[in-house]
Amino acid sequence: MAGANMSGDLKDPSKAIPRGTISAITFTFVTYIIVSCLVAASCDNFLIKNNYVFLQDINVWGPFVGIGIFAATMSAALSNLIGASRVLAAVARDSIFGKLCVASRWRCDGSALFCHTAQYKTWRYISPLSNWHYMSNRLFNAAYFLRSSHEMTSTPSVESCSHVLHSAGGMAVPPVQSTLSPSCSFLLKNSFGFLPDINLWPPFVITGTLIATYFASLVKMIGSSRILHALAKDNIYGILLSPATKATLGGNPWVAVLASWILVWMVLLIGSLNEIAELTSIFFLLSYFCTNLATLALELASAPNFRPTFKLFSWHTSLLGCAGTLVMMFFINFIYASISIILFIILFMILHYRAPLESWGSISQALMFHQVRKYLLLLDSRKDHVKFWRPNMLLMVANPRSCCELIHFVNDLKKGGLFLLGHVKVGQYQEVTSGDPCLDEMPYWLGLVDHLRVKAFTELTMAPSVREGMWQLIRIGGLGAMKPNTIILGFYDNMLPQDSFQKKEIFKEVKYANLELKEVRTKFLSRSTSDRQMNPSEYVLLMKDCIKMGKNLCLARNFHLLDKEKIIKSSETYYIDAWPVNFTAPHTRMDYNTTCLFLLQLACVLKMTNNWKKRTCLRVFLCIDPRQDDTMRLQYRLEQLLQLLRISASIHLVAIDNCLQYLGSDSALVQSGTESQETAYSDGATGAPTQQQAVTSPKDLPQNYLQAVNQLLVDKMQGTAVCFLYLPEPPSDSTEHMRYLQQLQILTDGLPPTMLVYGQSLVTSTAL
């Protein structure tokens, strides 16, 4: 850490620190290997094990050993001296200890001058004492080593060695028979407390040991307390660290410091320095492992801004560093290493899911982008199959303030598919003077998605009309093969939009969000029916455009009545109703075409979601005319179809003869019923879907017939949460557009939340 401690004084730390660290490690490694090989080749095992000063005797020139010890001691002392002074100056600049270290902020030519001076002239500060005594002890011990080595030319007696051992607190042992004369190496080998006896002043050793230990503990405690305080302020671990947020007026986190001090003492209570050394070494190795892992992840994510200046860096070196640190962790202590890795994974998961939205970036986003891009390229739209169909939905939203319930409903209905929120800003882009209106409004839509807690993407565009803007969203929305296949529109009527923002259950609790809920509420103001940006004819043309583009179409009405929280929490059973019959063409009620299958599929998908399957039951209504229809055969045919589609639902028979009487006995709609029934019988019980039937003109349907059908629906939908109805294809004649919308409005008046469904493509198959 010497280079990191003085990085502020380096001209180019990003180059100097790696070069200096790696060159020093390489030089030391090579030197140790060479010395070890030479010693192993020239000395026997007994000599190496029993004589710690044999290098002095076998060296080419004896003083080389002393010079090396002096140089190593001076280098280590200088490194600690320089690094400690920088740390002391940083502590003084942060005013952690007030005026006690104010003089340490004086600088001269870019160096902490007062810190250096204090380390040689005064005992006032903590850090200089440890370095001064560390250096002085090392130098004096080196001198004593040279003196004792020089005296080895004369053979000391066993009694003198035993006397030295006894005076040093050691234990006299019998002399070891060796090829060399017995020496005082027994003192080094058998007494760990001999330094006070040979020092100029014995308290020097104890004082230096205490101060060095205190300094190291203080540095670690101050650093760890700042990390603990930062984690507490970010509220990542909840109330567990909430007391650590307290600090003094000057910003000193005294609670975090106290907690760190308690943790240090808890570690010291282990009672064994060897155990503590293993534990701290494993945690240091774990930090190095995380550093190598982060660089490896950045390299694999191919982030363009990750451009390390170290020339020898590659993913191989990062992987080697990860593997090396892991091996050393398990080599030191298998149990401690396993526990630390499990603890690291737990903390990482908590940090990943509870971390606040900050600007420093997350490596997980880079990795996810890399993986998503790779798999999107593998997702080929030409390989789509009906067996793996899923609803990819584009919900067109004019103002989210009036359709939050619908947004929640579509979020459930998508069943693992794509969900897009589309919005069109009507206007001419050429008239915009500054900025992009869509970019300025996008943060509010993202904030809305955050507070609604839905899994949706937002797509905004600007166009001269809503129709042209919807073309853009349908064609460009999504990415790659993930394109919307179902378009959902709100119903066009004269009802005053309801304010969904007033309901407390609409918004979920969000721990971290870029925008507060108040800002989102303020952005999307209430609107009235006079604020519409299209007329009824344009709305019908919008529907026809969706069908022409090959998209399934849904119209949502009365979803302001949907109370999903009540359904989930209630002990009662609610119903999801499916009516696979085209009421505008009752003669086709026995034909299960693409729209009928799509309607049944959506109802089944909704029933399968977690929020709906426990509190709801699926009902399928079979409309019959008892005067003409073979009821048993039609019911059997529908049962076979549901069985082939693997849809679990109860079938309810509904007689519509009272409604058909309003069509008249000579009506073409009724007269064709017999032919349609014969066609249905000819299909047998296979339930194979037929093609879409010819569109009936809206002017052929009497209003009293639609009112009778509406009353029938209202009577049968007691306890219904959501119902799915057949949406007839819009007429091509523009003069019939208004009548078409009026008939749909009469048909759905007074109903619970209703989804009118039109299927354009196959979504399920009986051959799965």
Side-chain angles (χ1 to χ4, degrees):
M1 301 298 292
N5 288 337
M6 55 184 303
S7 59
D9 297 324
L10 299 177
K11 181 179 180 180
D12 193 352
S14 62
K15 291 183 178 180
I17 293 177
R19 288 179 180 176
T21 303
I22 294 178
S23 60
I25 293 175
T26 303
F27 178 79
T28 306
F29 175 77
V30 173
T31 303
Y32 271 102
I33 292 296
I34 293 175
V35 171
S36 299
C37 293
L38 293 177
V39 169
S42 59
C43 301
D44 60 2
N45 187 30
F46 188 82
L47 174 65
I48 298 174
K49 291 175 63 176
N50 294 279
N51 189 355
Y52 295 132
V53 293
F54 69 94
L55 288 176
Q56 184 79 14
D57 300 321
I58 66 173
N59 206 290
V60 176
W61 185 45
F64 267 153
V65 177
I67 295 173
I69 293 175
F70 272 108
T73 303
M74 180 61 70
S75 174
L78 186 62
S79 174
N80 284 274
L81 177 69
I82 298 299
S85 63
R86 266 59 180 179
V87 174
L88 181 62
V91 171
R93 284 197 302 269
D94 293 338
S95 299
I96 297 176
F97 298 101
K99 297 182 179 180
L100 181 64
C101 299
V102 65
S104 298
R105 289 179 286 183
W106 300 346
R107 297 179 64 86
C108 179
D109 297 331
S111 62
L113 178 62
F114 187 82
C115 297
H116 294 311
T117 306
Q119 288 180 330
Y120 288 106
K121 293 187 177 181
T122 181
W123 287 39
R124 182 180 178 183
Y125 297 98
I126 296 173
S127 56
L129 287 175
S130 61
N131 289 291
W132 170 254
H133 291 295
Y134 174 76
M135 183 175 66
S136 61
N137 289 337
R138 290 288 298 269
L139 291 174
F140 189 84
N141 292 338
Y144 178 81
F145 171 78
L146 290 178
R147 186 187 67 182
S148 61
S149 301
H150 178 72
E151 292 175 353
M152 283 182 60
T153 54
S154 61
T155 304
S157 63
V158 175
E159 289 79 12
S160 63
C161 290
S162 300
H163 174 72
V164 174
L165 286 172
H166 179 72
S167 63
M171 189 176 199
V173 296
V176 176
Q177 298 298 327
S178 173
T179 55
L180 296 178
S181 301
S183 68
C184 290
S185 62
F186 292 105
L187 176 66
L188 303 176
K189 185 176 180 180
N190 296 279
S191 177
F192 296 113
F194 70 92
L195 285 178
D197 299 316
I198 64 175
N199 207 290
L200 292 177
W201 188 46
F204 267 152
V205 178
I206 304 300
T207 305
T209 303
L210 291 176
I211 292 177
T213 304
Y214 182 74
F215 170 72
S217 302
L218 185 63
V219 171
K220 298 298 185 296
M221 189 169 65
I222 295 299
S224 61
S225 64
R226 265 55 183 178
I227 298 175
L228 181 63
H229 181 62
L231 293 174
K233 286 197 301 182
D234 291 338
N235 198 23
I236 295 175
Y237 298 101
I239 61 174
L240 182 64
L241 300 181
S242 57
T245 57
K246 298 181 180 179
T248 62
L249 295 178
N252 188 19
W254 64 273
V255 176
V257 174
L258 181 62
S260 301
W261 180 77
I262 294 174
L263 291 175
V264 170
W265 274 105
M266 290 176 62
V267 173
L268 292 178
L269 291 177
I270 294 176
S272 173
L273 289 178
N274 291 332
E275 296 290 333
I276 296 175
E278 290 182 355
L279 186 62
T280 55
S281 299
I282 285 176
F283 279 112
F284 270 112
L285 289 172
L286 185 61
S287 65
Y288 301 149
F289 169 77
C290 294
T291 303
N292 284 282
L293 184 63
T295 56
L296 177 63
L298 286 170
E299 181 67 17
L300 295 180
S302 302
N305 284 327
F306 179 65
R307 299 185 290 269
T309 56
F310 182 54
K311 295 181 180 180
L312 299 180
F313 172 81
S314 69
W315 68 268
H316 304 86
T317 57
S318 297
L319 182 61
L320 183 62
C322 291
T325 51
L326 280 178
V327 170
M328 288 303 301
M329 287 172 60
F330 286 100
F331 179 78
I332 293 174
N333 192 305
F334 182 84
I335 297 177
Y336 287 173
S338 302
I339 295 175
S340 64
I341 291 176
I342 294 174
L343 182 63
F344 165 74
I345 294 174
I346 294 174
L347 295 177
F348 177 79
M349 296 301 295
I350 296 175
L351 183 65
H352 177 72
Y353 288 106
R354 294 178 58 89
L357 298 174
E358 298 292 348
S359 59
W360 55 66
S362 174
I363 183 61
S364 60
Q365 295 294 314
L367 290 174
M368 284 188 288
F369 180 88
H370 182 266
Q371 293 300 111
V372 168
R373 184 190 66 87
K374 182 173 68 174
Y375 287 114
L376 273 176
L377 293 174
L378 297 176
L379 189 62
D380 194 346
S381 60
R382 296 168 295 183
K383 298 179 182 179
D384 287 343
H385 195 275
V386 67
K387 291 191 295 185
F388 310 110
W389 180 90
R390 63 182 66 226
N392 296 330
M393 298 187 166
L394 170 61
L395 175 61
M396 299 297 299
V397 179
N399 189 343
R401 197 178 189 98
S402 58
C403 61
C404 291
E405 297 88 354
L406 180 58
I407 294 175
H408 278 294
F409 176 77
V410 177
N411 185 61
D412 293 334
L413 190 61
K414 72 180 188 304
K415 186 57 179 177
L418 181 66
F419 182 19
L420 296 176
L421 288 177
H423 175 70
V424 179
K425 293 185 68 66
V426 178
Q428 296 290 341
Y429 191 77
Q430 295 81 357
E431 299 176 358
V432 178
T433 56
S434 62
D436 188 343
C438 294
L439 291 179
D440 296 339
E441 195 168 323
M442 179 62 77
Y444 295 96
W445 284 88
L446 296 177
L448 176 70
V449 170
D450 290 338
H451 289 285
L452 290 177
R453 296 292 292 272
V454 295
K455 299 176 181 179
F457 300 97
T458 57
E459 295 285 353
L460 306 183
T461 187
M462 190 173 189
S465 65
V466 176
R467 188 182 180 190
E468 294 183 22
M470 195 193 70
W471 294 346
Q472 300 174 14
L473 294 177
I474 293 178
R475 295 185 183 278
I476 304 177
L479 184 64
M482 297 183 63
K483 294 286 187 178
N485 54 30
T486 303
I487 312 301
I488 302 178
L489 305 175
F491 195 80
Y492 193 99
D493 56 21
N494 295 321
M495 290 183 60
L496 184 65
Q498 303 294 318
D499 190 356
S500 302
F501 285 7
Q502 300 300 325
K503 300 180 181 180
K504 295 181 179 180
E505 66 273 9
I506 288 297
F507 296 102
K508 310 297 181 181
E509 182 181 356
V510 180
K511 191 170 185 63
Y512 300 108
N514 287 326
L515 292 177
E516 297 294 334
L517 180 58
K518 182 179 179 181
E519 300 178 76
V520 177
R521 289 175 181 268
T522 306
K523 176 62 179 180
F524 302 107
L525 302 176
S526 301
R527 64 184 182 91
S528 62
T529 55
S530 60
D531 297 333
R532 286 178 177 163
Q533 298 171 332
M534 68 173 70
N535 54 44
S537 181
E538 292 176 342
Y539 179 79
V540 177
L541 291 175
L542 206 66
M543 297 169 57
K544 291 188 68 65
D545 291 339
C546 296
I547 298 173
K548 187 184 299 183
M549 292 181 179
K551 308 297 182 182
N552 302 314
L553 178 63
C554 296
L555 303 184
R557 190 182 188 194
N558 298 332
F559 271 87
H560 63 279
L561 303 175
L562 180 63
D563 191 350
K564 194 175 73 171
E565 294 297 325
K566 179 182 178 181
I567 296 173
I568 296 174
K569 297 178 180 179
S570 176
S571 58
E572 301 178 3
T573 300
Y574 289 84
Y575 298 102
I576 300 173
D577 292 344
W579 295 76
V581 54
N582 185 3
F583 287 110
T584 62
H587 61 282
T588 63
R589 61 184 180 274
M590 280 74 72
D591 300 333
Y592 300 114
N593 53 29
T594 304
T595 296
C596 294
L597 294 182
F598 182 50
L599 185 149
L600 293 173
Q601 178 82 330
L602 290 182
C604 180
V605 167
L606 181 63
K607 177 66 175 66
M608 294 169 59
T609 57
N610 294 328
N611 293 331
W612 293 80
K613 64 182 178 181
K614 294 182 180 180
R615 294 288 182 264
T616 58
C617 293
L618 177 58
R619 300 188 300 186
V620 179
F621 289 88
L622 175 60
C623 298
I624 59 172
D625 184 1
R627 300 171 299 178
Q628 300 179 1
D629 299 338
D630 187 347
T631 304
M632 299 297 294
R633 187 178 181 86
L634 290 178
Q635 183 177 358
Y636 176 75
R637 181 169 180 261
L638 181 57
E639 289 176 352
Q640 290 295 103
L641 177 62
L642 295 178
Q643 183 178 356
L644 289 172
L645 296 176
R646 297 163 307 283
I647 296 177
S648 178
S650 59
I651 299 176
H652 296 259
L653 301 179
V654 178
I656 60 171
D657 52 334
N658 293 331
C659 302
L660 294 177
Q661 66 181 354
Y662 293 103
L663 297 177
S665 58
D666 57 345
S667 173
L669 299 177
V670 179
Q671 290 177 357
S672 59
T674 305
E675 298 178 0
S676 177
Q677 183 177 349
E678 294 176 354
T679 304
Y681 293 162
S682 64
D683 292 337
T686 60
T690 60
Q691 297 296 325
Q692 300 284 67
Q693 302 296 323
V695 180
T696 303
S697 176
K699 62 184 179 181
D700 296 334
L701 294 173
Q703 184 172 348
N704 52 5
Y705 164 75
L706 295 173
Q707 291 175 346
V709 172
N710 174 258
Q711 186 60 43
L712 175 67
L713 295 174
V714 172
D715 294 340
K716 295 296 180 180
M717 293 187 184
Q718 300 299 325
T720 299
V722 177
C723 68
F724 292 87
L725 297 182
Y726 191 111
L727 175 65
E729 186 175 351
S732 301
D733 189 359
S734 59
T735 59
E736 301 293 334
H737 290 172
M738 190 64 187
R739 186 190 298 270
Y740 173 77
L741 289 179
Q742 290 175 351
Q743 291 178 352
L744 294 180
Q745 182 174 349
I746 295 173
L747 193 64
T748 57
D749 277 340
L751 297 183
T754 304
M755 186 71 74
L756 295 164
V757 177
Y758 181 88
Q760 179 67 12
S761 57
L762 288 176
V763 297
T764 186
S765 172
T766 59
L768 297 181

